[in-house]
Each structure stands twice: as C-alpha cells, then as structure tokens.
Coordinates of all heavy atoms in Angstrom, one line a residue:
M146 N 92.2 90.9 119.7 CA 93.3 91.3 118.8 C 94.1 92.4 119.6 O 93.5 93.4 120.0 CB 92.8 91.8 117.5 CG 93.8 92.4 116.6 SD 94.8 91.1 115.8 CE 96.3 92.1 115.5
G147 N 95.4 92.3 119.7 CA 96.2 93.3 120.3 C 96.8 94.2 119.3 O 96.7 94.0 118.1
R148 N 97.3 95.3 119.8 CA 97.9 96.3 118.9 C 99.4 96.0 118.7 O 100.0 96.6 117.8 CB 97.8 97.7 119.5 CG 96.3 98.1 119.6 CD 96.2 99.4 120.3 NE 97.4 99.9 120.9 CZ 97.4 100.8 121.9 NH1 96.3 101.3 122.3 NH2 98.5 101.2 122.4
K149 N 100.0 95.2 119.5 CA 101.5 94.9 119.4 C 101.7 93.7 118.5 O 101.1 92.6 118.6 CB 102.1 94.6 120.8 CG 103.6 94.6 120.7 CD 104.1 94.6 122.1 CE 105.6 94.8 122.1 NZ 106.2 95.0 123.4
L150 N 102.6 93.9 117.5 CA 102.8 92.9 116.5 C 104.3 92.4 116.6 O 105.2 93.2 116.8 CB 102.6 93.5 115.1 CG 101.2 94.1 114.8 CD1 101.2 94.7 113.4 CD2 100.2 93.0 114.9
Y151 N 104.4 91.1 116.3 CA 105.8 90.5 116.2 C 106.1 90.5 114.7 O 105.3 90.2 113.9 CB 105.7 89.0 116.7 CG 106.9 88.2 116.3 CD1 108.1 88.3 117.0 CD2 106.8 87.4 115.2 CE1 109.2 87.5 116.6 CE2 107.9 86.6 114.8 CZ 109.1 86.7 115.5 OH 110.2 86.0 115.2
V152 N 107.3 90.9 114.4 CA 107.8 90.9 113.0 C 109.1 90.0 113.0 O 110.1 90.4 113.6 CB 108.1 92.3 112.6 CG1 108.5 92.3 111.1 CG2 107.0 93.3 112.8
G153 N 109.0 88.9 112.3 CA 110.1 88.0 112.2 C 110.7 87.9 110.8 O 110.1 88.3 109.9
N154 N 111.8 87.2 110.8 CA 112.6 87.0 109.6 C 113.0 88.3 108.9 O 113.1 88.4 107.7 CB 111.8 86.1 108.6 CG 112.7 85.4 107.6 OD1 113.8 85.0 107.9 ND2 112.3 85.3 106.4
L155 N 113.3 89.3 109.8 CA 113.8 90.6 109.2 C 115.2 90.4 108.7 O 116.1 89.7 109.3 CB 113.8 91.6 110.4 CG 112.5 92.1 110.8 CD1 112.7 93.0 112.1 CD2 111.8 92.9 109.7
P156 N 115.6 91.2 107.6 CA 117.0 91.2 107.2 C 117.8 92.0 108.2 O 117.2 92.8 108.9 CB 116.9 92.0 105.9 CG 115.6 92.8 106.0 CD 114.7 92.0 106.8
Y157 N 119.0 91.6 108.4 CA 119.9 92.3 109.3 C 120.0 93.8 109.0 O 120.4 94.6 109.9 CB 121.2 91.7 109.4 CG 121.1 90.3 110.0 CD1 121.7 89.2 109.3 CD2 120.4 90.0 111.2 CE1 121.6 87.9 109.8 CE2 120.3 88.7 111.7 CZ 120.9 87.7 111.0 OH 120.8 86.4 111.4
S158 N 119.7 94.2 107.8 CA 119.8 95.6 107.4 C 118.6 96.4 107.9 O 118.6 97.7 107.9 CB 119.8 95.7 105.9 OG 118.7 95.2 105.3
A159 N 117.5 95.8 108.4 CA 116.3 96.5 108.9 C 116.6 97.3 110.1 O 117.3 96.9 111.0 CB 115.2 95.5 109.2
T160 N 116.1 98.5 110.1 CA 116.3 99.5 111.2 C 114.9 99.9 111.7 O 113.9 99.6 111.1 CB 117.0 100.8 110.7 OG1 116.1 101.4 109.8 CG2 118.3 100.5 110.1
Q161 N 114.9 100.5 112.9 CA 113.6 101.0 113.5 C 113.0 101.9 112.5 O 111.8 101.9 112.3 CB 113.9 101.6 114.8 CG 114.4 100.5 115.8 CD 114.3 100.8 117.2 OE1 114.4 99.9 118.0 NE2 114.2 102.1 117.7
E162 N 113.8 102.8 111.8 CA 113.2 103.8 110.9 C 112.6 103.1 109.7 O 111.5 103.5 109.2 CB 114.4 104.7 110.5 CG 114.9 105.6 111.6 CD 115.9 105.0 112.5 OE1 116.4 103.9 112.2 OE2 116.0 105.5 113.6
S163 N 113.3 102.1 109.2 CA 112.7 101.4 108.0 C 111.4 100.6 108.3 O 110.5 100.6 107.5 CB 113.7 100.5 107.3 OG 114.1 99.4 108.2
L164 N 111.3 100.0 109.5 CA 110.1 99.4 109.9 C 109.0 100.4 110.2 O 107.8 100.2 109.8 CB 110.3 98.6 111.2 CG 110.9 97.2 111.0 CD1 110.9 96.5 112.4 CD2 110.2 96.4 110.0
Q165 N 109.3 101.5 110.8 CA 108.4 102.6 111.0 C 107.8 103.0 109.6 O 106.5 103.1 109.5 CB 109.1 103.8 111.6 CG 108.3 105.1 111.7 CD 107.5 105.2 113.0 OE1 107.9 104.7 114.0 NE2 106.4 105.9 112.9
E166 N 108.6 103.2 108.7 CA 108.2 103.6 107.3 C 107.3 102.6 106.7 O 106.2 102.9 106.2 CB 109.4 103.9 106.4 CG 109.0 104.5 105.1 CD 110.3 104.8 104.3 OE1 111.2 105.3 104.8 OE2 110.2 104.5 103.1
T167 N 107.7 101.3 106.8 CA 106.9 100.2 106.2 C 105.5 100.1 106.8 O 104.5 100.0 106.1 CB 107.7 98.9 106.3 OG1 108.9 99.0 105.6 CG2 106.9 97.7 105.8
F168 N 105.5 100.1 108.2 CA 104.2 99.8 108.9 C 103.3 101.1 108.9 O 102.1 100.9 109.0 CB 104.5 99.3 110.3 CG 104.8 97.8 110.3 CD1 106.0 97.4 110.0 CD2 103.8 96.9 110.7 CE1 106.3 96.0 110.0 CE2 104.0 95.6 110.7 CZ 105.3 95.1 110.3
S169 N 103.9 102.2 108.7 CA 103.0 103.4 108.6 C 102.1 103.4 107.4 O 101.1 104.2 107.4 CB 103.9 104.7 108.7 OG 104.7 104.8 107.5
Q170 N 102.3 102.6 106.4 CA 101.4 102.5 105.3 C 100.1 101.9 105.7 O 99.1 102.0 105.0 CB 102.0 101.5 104.2 CG 103.4 102.0 103.7 CD 104.0 100.9 102.9 OE1 103.4 99.9 102.4 NE2 105.4 101.1 102.7
C171 N 100.1 101.2 106.9 CA 98.8 100.6 107.4 C 98.2 101.4 108.5 O 97.1 100.9 109.0 CB 99.2 99.2 107.9 SG 99.9 98.1 106.6
G172 N 98.8 102.5 108.9 CA 98.2 103.3 110.0 C 99.2 103.9 110.8 O 100.4 104.0 110.5
T173 N 98.8 104.4 112.0 CA 99.7 105.1 112.9 C 100.5 104.1 113.7 O 100.0 103.2 114.4 CB 98.9 106.0 113.8 OG1 98.1 106.9 113.0 CG2 99.9 106.8 114.7
V174 N 101.9 104.3 113.7 CA 102.8 103.4 114.4 C 103.1 104.1 115.7 O 103.6 105.2 115.7 CB 104.0 103.1 113.6 CG1 105.0 102.3 114.4 CG2 103.7 102.5 112.3
D175 N 102.8 103.5 116.9 CA 103.1 104.0 118.2 C 104.6 103.8 118.6 O 105.2 104.7 119.1 CB 102.2 103.4 119.3 CG 100.8 104.0 119.2 OD1 100.6 105.0 118.5 OD2 99.9 103.4 119.8
S176 N 105.1 102.6 118.3 CA 106.5 102.3 118.7 C 107.0 101.2 117.8 O 106.3 100.4 117.3 CB 106.6 101.9 120.1 OG 105.9 100.7 120.4
V177 N 108.3 101.2 117.6 CA 109.1 100.2 116.9 C 110.3 99.8 117.7 O 111.0 100.6 118.3 CB 109.5 100.7 115.5 CG1 110.3 99.6 114.8 CG2 108.4 101.1 114.7
N178 N 110.5 98.4 117.8 CA 111.7 98.0 118.5 C 112.3 96.8 117.8 O 111.8 95.7 117.8 CB 111.3 97.5 120.0 CG 112.5 97.2 120.8 OD1 113.6 97.5 120.5 ND2 112.2 96.6 121.9
V179 N 113.5 97.0 117.1 CA 114.2 96.0 116.5 C 115.1 95.4 117.6 O 115.9 96.1 118.2 CB 115.0 96.5 115.3 CG1 115.9 95.4 114.7 CG2 114.1 97.1 114.2
I180 N 115.0 94.1 117.8 CA 115.8 93.5 118.8 C 117.2 93.2 118.4 O 117.5 92.7 117.3 CB 115.2 92.1 119.3 CG1 113.7 92.3 119.7 CG2 116.0 91.5 120.4 CD1 113.5 93.3 120.8
T181 N 118.2 93.7 119.2 CA 119.6 93.6 118.8 C 120.4 92.8 119.8 O 120.0 92.7 121.0 CB 120.2 95.0 118.6 OG1 120.1 95.7 119.9 CG2 119.6 95.7 117.5
D182 N 121.5 92.3 119.4 CA 122.4 91.6 120.3 C 123.1 92.6 121.2 O 123.6 93.6 120.8 CB 123.5 90.8 119.5 CG 124.5 90.1 120.4 OD1 125.5 90.7 120.9 OD2 124.2 88.9 120.7
R183 N 123.1 92.4 122.5 CA 123.6 93.4 123.4 C 125.1 93.6 123.3 O 125.6 94.7 123.7 CB 123.2 93.1 124.9 CG 124.0 92.1 125.6 CD 123.7 91.9 127.0 NE 122.7 90.9 127.1 CZ 122.1 90.5 128.2 NH1 122.5 91.0 129.4 NH2 121.2 89.6 128.2
D184 N 125.8 92.6 122.9 CA 127.3 92.8 122.8 C 127.7 93.4 121.5 O 128.6 94.3 121.4 CB 128.0 91.4 122.9 CG 127.8 90.8 124.3 OD1 127.7 91.6 125.3 OD2 127.7 89.6 124.4
T185 N 127.1 93.0 120.3 CA 127.5 93.5 119.0 C 126.7 94.6 118.5 O 127.1 95.3 117.6 CB 127.5 92.3 118.0 OG1 126.2 91.9 117.8 CG2 128.4 91.1 118.5
G186 N 125.4 94.7 119.0 CA 124.5 95.7 118.4 C 123.9 95.2 117.1 O 123.0 95.9 116.5
Q187 N 124.2 94.0 116.6 CA 123.7 93.4 115.4 C 122.2 93.0 115.6 O 121.9 92.5 116.7 CB 124.5 92.2 115.0 CG 124.0 91.4 113.8 CD 124.3 92.1 112.5 OE1 125.3 92.8 112.4 NE2 123.5 91.9 111.5
S188 N 121.4 93.3 114.6 CA 120.0 92.9 114.7 C 119.9 91.4 114.9 O 120.7 90.6 114.3 CB 119.2 93.3 113.4 OG 118.0 92.6 113.3
K189 N 118.9 90.9 115.6 CA 118.7 89.5 115.8 C 117.7 88.9 114.8 O 117.4 87.8 114.8 CB 118.2 89.1 117.2 CG 119.3 89.3 118.2 CD 118.8 88.7 119.6 CE 120.0 88.7 120.5 NZ 119.6 87.9 121.8
G190 N 117.2 89.8 113.9 CA 116.3 89.3 112.8 C 114.8 89.3 113.2 O 114.0 88.8 112.5
F191 N 114.5 90.0 114.3 CA 113.1 90.2 114.6 C 112.9 91.4 115.4 O 113.8 92.1 115.9 CB 112.5 88.9 115.4 CG 113.0 88.8 116.8 CD1 112.3 89.2 117.9 CD2 114.2 88.2 117.0 CE1 112.8 89.1 119.2 CE2 114.7 88.0 118.3 CZ 114.0 88.5 119.4
G192 N 111.6 91.8 115.5 CA 111.3 93.0 116.3 C 109.8 93.1 116.6 O 109.1 92.1 116.3
F193 N 109.4 94.2 117.1 CA 108.0 94.4 117.5 C 107.6 95.8 117.1 O 108.4 96.8 117.1 CB 107.9 94.3 119.0 CG 108.2 93.0 119.6 CD1 109.5 92.7 120.0 CD2 107.3 92.0 119.6 CE1 109.8 91.5 120.5 CE2 107.6 90.7 120.0 CZ 108.9 90.4 120.5
V194 N 106.3 95.9 116.6 CA 105.7 97.1 116.1 C 104.4 97.3 116.9 O 103.6 96.3 116.9 CB 105.5 97.2 114.6 CG1 104.8 98.4 114.2 CG2 106.8 97.0 113.9
E195 N 104.2 98.4 117.5 CA 102.9 98.7 118.1 C 102.1 99.7 117.3 O 102.6 100.8 117.0 CB 103.1 99.1 119.5 CG 101.8 99.2 120.3 CD 101.9 99.4 121.8 OE1 103.1 99.4 122.3 OE2 100.9 99.4 122.5
M196 N 100.9 99.3 116.9 CA 100.1 100.2 116.1 C 99.1 100.9 117.0 O 98.9 100.5 118.2 CB 99.3 99.3 115.1 CG 100.1 98.5 114.1 SD 101.2 99.5 113.1 CE 100.1 100.2 111.9
S197 N 98.5 102.0 116.6 CA 97.7 102.8 117.5 C 96.3 102.2 117.7 O 95.6 102.6 118.6 CB 97.5 104.2 117.0 OG 96.8 104.2 115.8
S198 N 95.8 101.2 116.9 CA 94.5 100.6 117.1 C 94.6 99.1 116.7 O 95.4 98.7 115.9 CB 93.4 101.3 116.3 OG 93.6 101.1 114.9
D199 N 93.6 98.4 117.2 CA 93.5 97.0 116.8 C 93.3 96.8 115.3 O 93.8 95.9 114.7 CB 92.4 96.3 117.6 CG 92.7 96.1 119.0 OD1 93.8 96.4 119.5 OD2 91.8 95.6 119.8
S200 N 92.4 97.7 114.7 CA 92.1 97.6 113.3 C 93.3 97.8 112.4 O 93.5 97.2 111.4 CB 90.9 98.5 112.9 OG 91.3 99.8 113.2
E201 N 94.2 98.8 112.9 CA 95.4 99.1 112.1 C 96.4 97.9 112.2 O 97.1 97.5 111.3 CB 96.0 100.4 112.6 CG 95.2 101.6 112.2 CD 95.8 102.9 112.8 OE1 96.5 102.8 113.8 OE2 95.5 103.9 112.2
A202 N 96.4 97.3 113.4 CA 97.3 96.1 113.6 C 96.8 95.0 112.7 O 97.6 94.3 112.0 CB 97.3 95.7 115.0
Q203 N 95.5 94.7 112.6 CA 95.0 93.7 111.8 C 95.3 94.0 110.3 O 95.6 93.1 109.6 CB 93.5 93.6 112.0 CG 92.8 92.4 111.3 CD 93.4 91.0 111.8 OE1 93.6 90.8 113.0 NE2 93.7 90.2 110.8
K204 N 95.1 95.2 109.9 CA 95.4 95.6 108.5 C 96.9 95.3 108.2 O 97.3 94.8 107.1 CB 95.1 97.1 108.3 CG 95.4 97.6 106.9 CD 95.0 99.0 106.8 CE 95.3 99.5 105.4 NZ 95.1 100.9 105.2
A205 N 97.8 95.7 109.2 CA 99.2 95.4 109.0 C 99.5 94.0 108.8 O 100.3 93.6 107.9 CB 100.0 96.0 110.1
I206 N 98.9 93.1 109.6 CA 99.1 91.7 109.4 C 98.6 91.2 108.1 O 99.4 90.5 107.3 CB 98.3 90.9 110.5 CG1 99.0 91.1 111.9 CG2 98.3 89.4 110.2 CD1 98.2 90.6 113.1
Q207 N 97.5 91.6 107.6 CA 96.9 91.2 106.4 C 97.7 91.7 105.2 O 98.0 91.0 104.2 CB 95.5 91.7 106.2 CG 94.5 91.0 107.2 CD 93.1 91.6 107.2 OE1 92.9 92.7 106.6 NE2 92.2 90.9 107.8
E208 N 98.2 92.9 105.3 CA 98.9 93.5 104.1 C 100.4 93.2 104.1 O 101.0 93.2 103.0 CB 98.7 95.0 104.1 CG 97.3 95.4 103.8 CD 97.0 96.9 103.6 OE1 98.0 97.6 103.4 OE2 95.9 97.3 103.6
L209 N 101.1 93.0 105.3 CA 102.5 92.9 105.3 C 103.1 91.5 105.5 O 104.2 91.2 105.2 CB 103.1 93.9 106.3 CG 102.8 95.4 106.0 CD1 103.3 96.2 107.2 CD2 103.4 95.8 104.7
N210 N 102.3 90.6 106.1 CA 102.7 89.3 106.4 C 103.1 88.6 105.0 O 102.2 88.6 104.1 CB 101.7 88.4 107.1 CG 102.2 87.1 107.5 OD1 103.4 86.9 107.9 ND2 101.4 86.1 107.4
G211 N 104.3 88.1 104.9 CA 104.7 87.4 103.7 C 105.3 88.3 102.6 O 105.7 87.9 101.6
T212 N 105.3 89.6 102.9 CA 105.9 90.5 101.9 C 107.4 90.5 102.1 O 108.0 90.0 103.1 CB 105.4 92.0 102.1 OG1 105.7 92.5 103.4 CG2 103.9 92.1 101.8
S213 N 108.1 91.1 101.2 CA 109.6 91.0 101.1 C 110.2 92.3 101.5 O 109.8 93.4 101.0 CB 110.1 90.6 99.7 OG 111.5 90.5 99.7
I214 N 111.2 92.3 102.4 CA 112.0 93.4 102.8 C 113.5 93.0 102.5 O 114.0 92.1 103.1 CB 111.9 93.9 104.2 CG1 110.4 94.4 104.5 CG2 112.9 95.0 104.6 CD1 110.2 94.8 105.9
D215 N 114.1 93.7 101.6 CA 115.5 93.4 101.3 C 115.7 91.9 101.0 O 116.7 91.3 101.4 CB 116.5 93.8 102.3 CG 116.6 95.3 102.4 OD1 116.2 96.0 101.5 OD2 117.2 95.8 103.4
G216 N 114.8 91.3 100.2 CA 114.9 89.9 99.8 C 114.5 88.9 100.9 O 114.6 87.7 100.6
R217 N 114.0 89.3 102.0 CA 113.6 88.3 103.1 C 112.1 88.5 103.2 O 111.5 89.6 103.3 CB 114.2 88.7 104.4 CG 115.7 88.7 104.5 CD 116.4 87.5 104.8 NE 115.9 86.6 105.8 CZ 116.6 86.3 106.9 NH1 117.7 87.0 107.3 NH2 116.1 85.4 107.8
E218 N 111.4 87.3 103.2 CA 109.9 87.3 103.4 C 109.6 87.4 104.9 O 109.9 86.5 105.7 CB 109.4 86.0 102.8 CG 107.9 86.0 102.8 CD 107.3 84.7 102.1 OE1 107.6 84.5 101.0 OE2 106.6 83.9 102.8
I219 N 109.1 88.5 105.3 CA 108.8 88.8 106.7 C 107.6 88.1 107.2 O 106.6 87.8 106.5 CB 108.8 90.3 107.1 CG1 107.6 91.0 106.4 CG2 110.1 90.9 106.7 CD1 107.4 92.4 106.9
K220 N 107.6 87.8 108.5 CA 106.4 87.2 109.2 C 105.8 88.3 110.1 O 106.6 88.8 110.9 CB 106.8 86.0 110.0 CG 107.6 84.9 109.3 CD 106.7 84.2 108.3 CE 107.6 83.1 107.7 NZ 107.3 82.9 106.2
V221 N 104.6 88.5 110.0 CA 103.9 89.5 110.9 C 102.7 88.9 111.5 O 101.8 88.3 110.8 CB 103.4 90.8 110.1 CG1 102.8 91.8 111.0 CG2 104.6 91.4 109.3
N222 N 102.7 88.8 112.8 CA 101.5 88.3 113.6 C 101.4 89.0 114.9 O 102.3 89.8 115.3 CB 101.5 86.8 113.7 CG 102.8 86.3 114.2 OD1 103.3 86.8 115.2 ND2 103.3 85.2 113.5
E223 N 100.3 88.7 115.6 CA 100.1 89.3 116.9 C 101.2 88.8 117.9 O 101.5 87.6 117.9 CB 98.7 89.0 117.4 CG 98.3 89.7 118.7 CD 96.9 89.4 119.2 OE1 96.2 88.6 118.5 OE2 96.6 89.9 120.2
A224 N 101.7 89.8 118.6 CA 102.8 89.4 119.6 C 102.1 88.7 120.8 O 101.0 89.0 121.2 CB 103.5 90.7 120.1
K225 N 102.8 87.7 121.2 CA 102.3 86.9 122.4 C 102.8 87.7 123.7 O 103.9 88.3 123.6 CB 103.0 85.5 122.4 CG 102.7 84.7 121.1 CD 101.6 83.7 121.3 CE 101.5 82.8 120.2 NZ 101.0 83.3 119.0
P226 N 102.0 87.6 124.7 CA 102.5 88.2 126.0 C 103.8 87.7 126.4 O 104.1 86.5 126.3 CB 101.4 87.9 127.0 CG 100.2 87.4 126.2 CD 100.8 86.9 124.9
K227 N 104.6 88.5 127.0 CA 105.9 88.1 127.5 C 105.8 87.2 128.7 O 105.0 87.4 129.6 CB 106.7 89.4 127.9 CG 108.2 89.1 128.2 CD 108.9 90.5 128.4 CE 110.3 90.3 128.5 NZ 111.0 91.6 128.7
A228 N 106.5 86.1 128.6 CA 106.4 85.1 129.7 C 107.1 85.7 130.9 O 108.1 86.3 130.8 CB 107.1 83.8 129.3
P229 N 106.5 85.4 132.1 CA 107.1 85.9 133.3 C 108.5 85.3 133.5 O 108.7 84.1 133.3 CB 106.2 85.5 134.4 CG 105.3 84.4 133.9 CD 105.3 84.6 132.4
R230 N 109.4 86.1 134.0 CA 110.8 85.6 134.3 C 110.9 85.2 135.7 O 110.2 85.7 136.6 CB 111.8 86.7 134.0 CG 111.9 87.0 132.6 CD 113.1 88.0 132.4 NE 114.0 87.3 131.5 CZ 115.1 87.8 131.1 NH1 115.5 88.9 131.6 NH2 115.9 87.1 130.3
D231 N 111.7 84.2 136.0 CA 112.0 83.7 137.3 C 112.8 84.8 138.0 O 113.9 85.2 137.6 CB 112.8 82.4 137.2 CG 113.0 81.8 138.6 OD1 112.7 82.4 139.6 OD2 113.5 80.6 138.6
S232 N 112.3 85.2 139.2 CA 113.0 86.3 139.9 C 114.3 85.9 140.4 O 115.1 86.8 140.8 CB 112.1 86.8 141.0 OG 111.9 85.8 142.0
R233 N 114.6 84.6 140.5 CA 115.9 84.2 141.0 C 117.0 84.4 139.9 O 118.2 84.3 140.2 CB 115.9 82.8 141.5 CG 115.1 82.6 142.7 CD 115.0 81.1 143.1 NE 114.0 80.5 142.1 CZ 114.0 79.2 141.8 NH1 114.9 78.4 142.4 NH2 113.2 78.7 141.0
G234 N 116.5 84.5 138.7 CA 117.4 84.8 137.6 C 118.3 83.7 137.1 O 119.1 83.9 136.3
G235 N 118.1 82.5 137.5 CA 119.1 81.6 137.0 C 118.4 80.3 136.6 O 117.2 80.1 136.5
G236 N 119.2 79.3 136.3 CA 118.7 78.1 135.8 C 118.2 77.1 136.7 O 118.8 76.0 136.9
G237 N 117.2 77.4 137.4 CA 116.4 76.3 138.0 C 117.0 75.8 139.4 O 118.0 76.2 139.8
G238 N 116.4 75.0 139.9 CA 116.5 74.4 141.2 C 117.8 74.2 141.9 O 118.6 74.5 141.8
G239 N 118.3 73.7 142.6 CA 119.5 73.6 143.2 C 119.3 72.8 144.4 O 118.6 71.9 144.4
G240 N 119.9 72.9 145.2 CA 119.5 72.4 146.5 C 120.2 71.3 147.1 O 120.8 70.5 146.5
G241 N 120.2 71.1 148.0 CA 120.5 70.4 149.2 C 121.3 69.1 149.0 O 121.9 68.8 148.0
G242 N 121.5 68.6 149.8 CA 121.9 67.3 149.8 C 123.2 66.9 150.3 O 123.6 66.6 150.1
G243 N 123.9 66.7 150.7 CA 125.2 66.3 151.1 C 125.3 64.8 151.0 O 124.4 64.1 150.5
G244 N 126.2 64.2 151.3 CA 126.4 62.8 151.1 C 126.5 62.1 152.5 O 126.4 62.7 153.5
G245 N 127.0 61.0 152.6 CA 127.0 60.2 153.8 C 128.1 60.5 154.7 O 128.7 59.5 155.2
Y246 N 128.4 61.7 155.1 CA 129.4 62.0 156.0 C 128.8 62.5 157.3 O 129.2 63.6 157.8 CB 130.4 63.0 155.4 CG 131.1 62.4 154.3 CD1 130.8 62.8 153.0 CD2 132.1 61.5 154.4 CE1 131.5 62.3 151.9 CE2 132.8 60.9 153.3 CZ 132.5 61.3 152.1 OH 133.1 60.8 151.0
G247 N 127.9 61.9 157.9 CA 127.2 62.4 159.0 C 128.1 62.1 160.3 O 129.1 61.6 160.2
R248 N 127.5 62.5 161.4 CA 128.3 62.3 162.7 C 127.8 61.1 163.4 O 127.6 61.2 164.6 CB 128.1 63.5 163.5 CG 128.8 64.7 162.9 CD 128.8 65.9 163.9 NE 129.7 66.9 163.5 CZ 130.4 67.5 164.3 NH1 130.4 67.3 165.6 NH2 131.2 68.4 163.8
G249 N 127.5 60.1 162.8 CA 126.9 58.9 163.4 C 128.0 58.2 164.2 O 129.2 58.5 164.2
N250 N 127.6 57.2 164.9 CA 128.6 56.4 165.7 C 129.5 55.6 164.8 O 129.1 55.1 163.8 CB 127.9 55.4 166.6 CG 127.1 56.1 167.7 OD1 127.5 57.2 168.1 ND2 126.1 55.5 168.2
R251 N 130.7 55.4 165.2 CA 131.6 54.6 164.4 C 131.6 53.2 165.0 O 131.7 53.1 166.2 CB 133.0 55.2 164.4 CG 133.1 56.4 163.6 CD 134.4 56.7 163.2 NE 134.4 57.3 161.9 CZ 135.5 58.0 161.5 NH1 136.5 58.0 162.2 NH2 135.4 58.5 160.3
W252 N 131.6 52.2 164.3 CA 131.6 50.8 164.8 C 133.0 50.3 165.0 O 133.9 50.0 164.6 CB 130.8 49.9 163.9 CG 129.4 50.4 163.8 CD1 129.0 51.4 162.9 CD2 128.3 50.1 164.6 NE1 127.6 51.6 163.1 CE2 127.2 50.8 164.1 CE3 128.1 49.2 165.6 CZ2 126.0 50.6 164.7 CZ3 126.9 49.0 166.2 CH2 125.8 49.8 165.7

C-alpha cells in the first residue's frame, strides 16, 4: 500500500485547500495536487493526495471513497506509478523510406 492517493470525479470547485481539509480528517496530509488545464487553469476533475503513512492512506480510502463533495461522488484509491514517458517526446516511430527514384540504369 502506498501513501499517494488518486482522487477522481472531483467537482471543478475543488481546490487544494478543500482537499487538504477533507483528507486531514483521516490523518496528516503531506501534499495535495489538483490537476489543472495548463491553458485555462480550470481543474480537470482529479488530483492526488499524499498521506504521511500507509495506514492513514488506507483509512482515507475506506472513509472517503464514494463520499460526496459539492454533489459529486469522489473516487479515492491508491495512485498507480506514473508511466515512463518517451524521451523523444512525440508520437511514435517515423522513419525512412523513400520511393522508387533511385539512380539505377535507364533502359
């Protein structure tokens, strides 16, 4: 069990402060991160909360998963490790090939 929790289905009104307050009922909150759109600053409806111990994280899952914040039933579970990103930064393969315009003999 990890200490970092995924919190989904958040209302757009949720802030880092409101999540801090909600999760502090289950123990010490080390960090809160509400994910926002980089262009608009609008919440994307999910975030991450890191608790100070595994037992506090488990308690938060048991007590808060399925509860309502501003009319939305939130999902709370253990965060999955972040998938490694491709260091090339883009959409996959590319590569080679040209077509039949070689320098062969002409007949």
Side-chain angles (χ1 to χ4, degrees):
M146 175 73 207
R148 298 178 346 204
K149 191 167 189 176
L150 303 174
Y151 166 82
V152 186
N154 203 35
L155 287 172
Y157 295 127
S158 61
T160 63
Q161 298 197 160
E162 293 78 18
S163 66
L164 278 186
Q165 169 93 29
E166 185 177 319
T167 300
F168 279 78
S169 66
Q170 300 167 20
C171 299
T173 303
V174 176
D175 286 345
S176 67
V177 177
N178 187 13
V179 174
I180 306 303
T181 57
D182 181 274
R183 82 174 88 179
D184 295 327
T185 65
Q187 175 78 26
S188 167
K189 288 191 171 189
F191 70 97
F193 298 93
V194 175
E195 189 167 0
M196 303 299 289
S197 67
S198 73
D199 289 355
S200 61
E201 289 174 337
Q203 188 61 44
K204 181 179 179 185
I206 291 171
Q207 291 172 347
E208 292 187 13
L209 298 175
N210 186 40
T212 61
S213 182
I214 296 179
D215 290 346
R217 305 268 321 245
E218 188 176 299
I219 64 169
K220 308 290 183 217
V221 182
N222 50 46
E223 185 176 358
K225 305 257 188 296
K227 192 172 188 177
R230 291 189 121 181
D231 185 352
S232 62
R233 291 177 285 156
Y246 296 105
R248 292 186 168 222
N250 292 335
R251 290 201 147 161
W252 302 85

